[in-house]
C-alpha cells in the first residue's frame, strides 16, 4: 500500500472543535478514495462537553452558562448518542478506514475490530478487560471495555458511503486515563437535568487506567502504545 494513503496524526493538546474539523477533512479524503487508513490520537486540556445535536439534547443558554460556571465549554456535533465529557484525563482515538469491497459491511465486525485493538492496548499493561454494556455509565454501549465490571473505554462508530460505492468506517474510542470521576460526570448529569431526563450517570461504574498500573506514562507514550496495538492488529 502506498504510504501516502495512510495518515497518522497526534494531537496531545487540541481543542475539540479543531480535532473534529480535522476528522471531517480526513473523512472526505476517504470518501474520495484518496486515503485508505487514518488514525487520529488526541487529547484536550480544555474541559468540553460534547453534545449530540438535535431536539433530544437542547443547547440552551442556561446550560451553556451553568457549564461555563463549572469551567466547561459546550460543543455540539451531528453524530453521537449521548453527552461525552472531554478533559486532559481522557485520551481519544479516531480510526478511519475503507471497508474491504470483498465482504459485506458488518457493524458487529467493525466494532469487534476496534475492540481487538483496545484489548491489546490494555493487555500491554497487564490488564484483562471484558466487552459489554455498563449500566449507569455515560454514553453507554454494548462495546464498552470494562475492568472488573467498570467502564474504562467507550466506543462509537459511524459509516459513510464512498464516491462510487463502498463504505468508510469511522471508529472512535474514549479512554479514561486519570479521571477524577465525580468531576467528569458532573457536566453530563447537568445536561440530563436540563434535558428533563430522569437518568443519571454514576461515577462508581467507571474506572481509569492509572488506577490499575503503577507507572504514569506521558501522553506521547500512551499514543505510541495505542499505535503499536493498531500495528500489531494489522488495522493500521
Amino acid at each position: 500500500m502506498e504510504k501516502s494513503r495512510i495518515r497518522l496524526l497526534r494531537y496531545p493538546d487540541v481543542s475539540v472543535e479543531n480535532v473534529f474539523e480535522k476528522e471531517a477533512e480526513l473523512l472526505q479524503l476517504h470518501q474520495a478514495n484518496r486515503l485508505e487508513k487514518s488514525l487520529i490520537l488526541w487529547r484536550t486540556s480544555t474541559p468540553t462537553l460534547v453534545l449530540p445535536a438535535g431536539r433530544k439534547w437542547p443547547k440552551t443558554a442556561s446550560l451553556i452558562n451553568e457549564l461555563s460556571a463549572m469551567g466547561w465549554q459546550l460543543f455540539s456535533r451531528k453524530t453521537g448518542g449521548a453527552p461525552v465529557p472531554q478533559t486532559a484525563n481522557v485520551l481519544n482515538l479516531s480510526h478511519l478506514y475503507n471497508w474491504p469491497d470483498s465482504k459485506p459491511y458488518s457493524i458487529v465486525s467493525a466494532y469487534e475490530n476496534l475492540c481487538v485493538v483496545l484489548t491489546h492496548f490494555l493487555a500491554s499493561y497487564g490488564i484483562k478487560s471484558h466487552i459489554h454494556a455498563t449500566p449507569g455509565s455515560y454514553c453507554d454501549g454494548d462495546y464498552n471495555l470494562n475492568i472488573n465490571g467498570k467502564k474504562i473505554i467507550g466506543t462509537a462508530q459511524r459509516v459513510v458511503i464512498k464516491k462510487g460505492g463502498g463504505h468508510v468506517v469511522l471508529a472512535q474510542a474514549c479512554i479514561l486515563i486519570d479521571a477524577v470521576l465525580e468531576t467528569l460526570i458532573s457536566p453530563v448529569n447537568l445536561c440530563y437535568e436540563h434535558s428533563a431526563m430522569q437518568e443519571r450517570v454514576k461515577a462508581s461504574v467507571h474506572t481509569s487506567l492509572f488506577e490499575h498500573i503503577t507507572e504514569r506514562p506521558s501522553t506521547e507514550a500512551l499514543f505510541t502504545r495505542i499505535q503499536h496495538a493498531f500495528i500489531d492488529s494489522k488495522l493500521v
Side-chain angles (χ1 to χ4, degrees):
M1 182 181 300
E2 298 178 15
K3 193 172 183 181
S4 61
R5 288 175 59 82
I6 300 175
R7 292 282 176 86
L8 172 62
L9 303 175
R10 294 186 178 203
Y11 298 112
D13 187 5
V14 66
S15 73
V16 167
E17 181 177 5
N18 286 347
V19 78
F20 286 154
E21 286 177 356
K22 177 56 66 175
E23 185 184 88
E25 290 174 11
L26 291 179
L27 191 56
Q28 289 181 344
L29 291 174
H30 277 267
Q31 285 183 280
N33 209 32
R34 293 171 59 188
L35 287 176
E36 184 68 25
K37 299 177 183 180
S38 301
L39 179 62
I40 309 174
L41 303 171
W42 64 277
R43 209 172 187 177
T44 184
S45 61
T46 305
T48 305
L49 184 67
V50 180
L51 188 69
R55 295 180 180 179
K56 183 178 180 180
W57 305 104
K59 186 178 178 181
T60 63
S62 59
L63 175 61
I64 293 172
N65 291 336
E66 287 194 51
L67 285 172
S68 179
M70 296 167 60
W72 286 74
Q73 295 183 0
L74 183 64
F75 181 83
S76 183
R77 70 177 308 191
K78 294 179 181 180
T79 59
V84 174
Q86 294 290 350
T87 72
N89 305 115
V90 180
L91 188 151
N92 300 271
L93 67 87
S94 296
H95 182 220
L96 301 90
Y97 61 99
N98 300 342
W99 189 262
D101 294 331
S102 58
K103 60 181 180 179
Y105 166 72
S106 165
I107 188 170
V108 172
S109 295
Y111 267 116
E112 289 175 346
N113 287 343
L114 179 60
C115 287
V116 166
V117 175
L118 298 171
T119 299
H120 286 174
F121 166 70
L122 293 174
S124 72
Y125 288 106
I127 298 172
K128 184 176 181 179
S129 58
H130 298 88
I131 302 164
H132 56 76
T134 320
S137 65
Y138 71 83
C139 201
D140 191 21
D142 291 336
Y143 294 93
N144 296 333
L145 273 77
N146 300 266
I147 301 173
N148 298 325
K150 295 186 176 184
K151 177 177 176 177
I152 183 171
I153 303 177
T155 61
Q157 185 183 151
R158 179 187 174 195
V159 181
V160 299
I161 304 299
K162 289 195 297 182
K163 295 177 181 178
H167 297 83
V168 180
V169 177
L170 167 57
Q172 299 168 313
C174 300
I175 307 170
L176 301 181
I177 300 299
D178 189 23
V180 180
L181 296 171
E182 290 288 354
T183 301
L184 193 71
I185 69 166
S186 292
V188 179
N189 283 333
L190 178 65
C191 187
Y192 277 104
E193 181 182 342
H194 275 259
S195 300
M197 296 185 182
Q198 297 301 314
E199 183 181 353
R200 294 294 183 270
V201 173
K202 301 175 182 177
S204 60
V205 303
H206 301 81
T207 189
S208 55
L209 180 65
F210 285 4
E211 294 181 47
H212 302 274
I213 61 176
T214 56
E215 57 185 302
R216 294 294 181 266
S218 66
T219 299
E220 288 296 338
L222 289 166
F223 283 174
T224 298
R225 190 72 68 106
I226 293 173
Q227 183 181 341
H228 286 168
F230 271 97
I231 293 171
D232 291 344
S233 70
K234 297 181 173 58
L235 289 176
V236 73

